[in-house]
Amino acid sequence: MSKEKRLTDVWTYINDRQKFTIKELSEEFNLSTKTIQRYLIELNKMGLPIQTEKGRNGGYRVLNNSYIPPVVFTEKEVMTILFALKSLQIYNYKLMEIEIDSIMRKVSYERKSSTRIGIENMKRYIGFVANDEAVKSSDVVEFFRASSESLILNIKYKFGNQVLEKNICPIGIYLNKGTWFSPVYDYKSDKIILIRIDKIIEIKKVGESKEVHISLNEWLETAYSNLYESILSIKKIGETICLNVLLTKEGVSKIKSSSYDLDIKLNEDGSGVINTFIKHEEIDWYVSILFSLGSDAKVMEPKFINKLLYDKADELRYFYEENMV
């Protein structure tokens, strides 16, 4: 067995223990006490914080058991890991900067290796523009912790021009086009709703949930499967679907002042409702109209049109971002 392999085995063994002695290691690995002492000195130089405890029941202990043994990476693997870490700049993750810088230093070499040159080139020639609507790292961490520990949170968050308050239990977090989302169990409505974490104003822990909710992967599969099936179900030319849209008073005014010939049922307060059947080939046309109305039109059915509107808004956002500089 090579010395590197024995060092790694000793590292793993002592890292899993709160306390150990030279004699214990000597018997475990069938090595002399002098060899074990040399190994401990080398492991300490490699970064494993080993502390000597004096006294009758003295010995050694690892100050922090979260250290992992050395892992051998290829140059391509190192560059892939560093590229992924650097890409986190786009999310304004100040919370990770210290750790990322530490990793960068550990994989750099004193000699002029190709890996070191690659790292320097990555710093010099690759940049990621931070998302202006960056979410607070602490909020993402809070939602992650609440998901993994089944915590009940009281949150206040922005919803349009309103500030809503809810008791929720997150089931996970996911990133979609630079924005963090969390499907959460809403205790008031007794169903899973989707929360944008960047809209959170305040978070408070109020308890622990004893209920088992759907997993994040199950929710994602169901959500996107339902969306896909809804689109497929109306793809036959000539087949119709029911379009139900709520219009504000301003939305009704915008449609009336335009050339769009839409059947609107008016309410007493001047707002209105579009309730009609449309064909698959007309969907893009209606999406364009609804997009021009902005927040003055709320699509109730079919739900997948909201996803089409979201994608259209996202395309426009990226268009303006690319042309800002």
Side-chain angles (χ1 to χ4, degrees):
M1 184 186 296
S2 68
K3 178 182 176 181
E4 290 76 14
K5 177 66 169 61
R6 287 198 299 270
L7 275 171
T8 300
D9 289 344
V10 173
W11 181 313
T12 303
Y13 182 86
I14 66 178
N15 200 43
D16 290 338
R17 284 156 175 76
Q18 290 293 320
K19 189 176 179 180
F20 60 92
T21 64
I22 296 290
K23 182 181 178 181
E24 178 187 349
L25 295 181
S26 178
E27 293 174 353
E28 176 70 24
F29 295 100
N30 195 26
L31 295 170
S32 68
T33 55
K34 288 185 178 180
T35 300
I36 291 296
Q37 286 174 334
R38 288 200 306 270
Y39 280 9
L40 293 180
I41 292 172
E42 290 189 46
L43 290 174
N44 190 251
K45 288 180 178 179
M46 291 167 63
L48 189 65
I50 301 173
Q51 184 183 56
T52 304
E53 292 193 336
K54 298 179 180 180
R56 183 176 179 182
N57 298 315
Y60 297 85
R61 71 167 62 242
V62 178
L63 295 182
N64 187 334
N65 294 79
S66 64
Y67 288 85
I68 62 172
V71 180
V72 178
F73 292 109
T74 65
E75 182 177 324
K76 187 175 181 180
E77 288 171 337
V78 170
M79 299 307 294
T80 301
I81 291 170
L82 295 183
F83 183 88
L85 290 175
K86 188 169 177 59
S87 70
L88 292 175
Q89 289 176 335
I90 198 170
Y91 306 120
N92 272 342
Y93 263 20
K94 303 295 183 185
L95 195 66
M96 296 181 180
E97 280 188 345
I98 295 176
E99 287 76 13
I100 291 175
D101 288 343
S102 176
I103 293 172
M104 288 280 197
R105 287 194 301 272
K106 287 180 180 179
V107 298
S108 298
Y109 301 100
E110 292 301 325
R111 60 184 185 276
K112 284 292 182 180
S113 66
S114 56
T115 304
R116 183 181 178 87
I117 294 172
I119 293 172
E120 293 302 321
N121 286 339
M122 186 181 294
K123 292 178 179 178
R124 183 178 301 176
Y125 299 115
I126 300 177
F128 294 87
V129 179
N131 183 1
D132 288 336
E133 296 182 3
V135 63
K136 289 187 295 184
S137 300
S138 57
D139 288 348
V140 177
V141 172
E142 285 295 331
F143 267 76
F144 169 71
R145 182 180 293 114
S147 302
S148 60
E149 299 177 11
S150 295
L151 301 180
I152 301 172
L153 303 178
N154 175 268
I155 62 169
K156 292 181 181 178
Y157 67 102
K158 294 179 182 177
F159 185 78
N161 295 324
Q162 306 177 65
V163 174
L164 302 183
E165 183 174 356
K166 288 181 178 292
N167 281 346
I168 53 97
C169 180
I171 63 171
I173 60 175
Y174 70 93
L175 192 65
N176 183 19
K177 296 183 179 180
T179 302
W180 284 100
F181 293 89
S182 178
V184 303
Y185 176 74
D186 176 20
Y187 284 89
K188 185 176 182 180
S189 64
D190 190 28
K191 63 181 182 181
I192 303 292
I193 63 173
L194 193 61
I195 295 290
R196 275 184 57 169
I197 299 181
D198 61 317
K199 299 297 183 183
I200 297 293
I201 299 173
E202 184 180 307
I203 303 175
K204 293 180 181 177
K205 176 185 171 182
V206 295
E208 296 183 5
S209 173
K210 296 182 179 179
E211 301 176 46
V212 178
H213 303 296
I214 187 173
S215 71
L216 176 64
N217 285 338
E218 290 173 330
W219 184 87
L220 286 171
E221 288 177 6
T222 302
Y224 282 93
S225 175
N226 290 342
L227 172 64
Y228 182 68
E229 288 175 4
S230 297
I231 295 175
L232 283 182
S233 67
I234 57 149
K235 276 194 172 180
K236 295 179 181 178
I237 295 179
E239 190 169 345
T240 60
I241 57 171
C242 179
L243 176 67
N244 183 254
V245 182
L246 304 182
L247 300 171
T248 65
K249 184 177 180 180
E250 291 74 16
V252 171
S253 178
K254 288 178 182 178
I255 291 178
K256 286 187 174 182
S257 62
S258 69
S259 58
Y260 303 133
D261 184 19
L262 298 178
D263 186 18
I264 303 174
K265 181 182 178 181
L266 295 177
N267 299 320
E268 291 182 2
D269 62 356
S271 62
V273 178
I274 297 175
N275 197 4
T276 185
F277 286 91
I278 63 174
K279 296 180 180 179
H280 173 261
E281 54 266 34
E282 297 175 322
I283 289 177
D284 288 342
W285 184 75
Y286 275 93
V287 167
S288 297
I289 295 174
L290 295 171
F291 185 76
S292 68
L293 297 176
S295 59
D296 290 318
K298 182 178 182 181
V299 180
M300 306 304 293
E301 293 292 342
K303 294 295 185 183
F304 73 83
I305 284 187
N306 288 303
K307 178 65 168 63
L308 299 178
L309 289 167
Y310 175 87
D311 289 342
K312 198 173 184 68
D314 219 33
E315 288 175 8
L316 190 63
R317 179 171 70 88
Y318 280 110
F319 171 79
Y320 283 117
E321 284 180 351
E322 289 176 358
N323 290 276
M324 279 168 50
V325 275

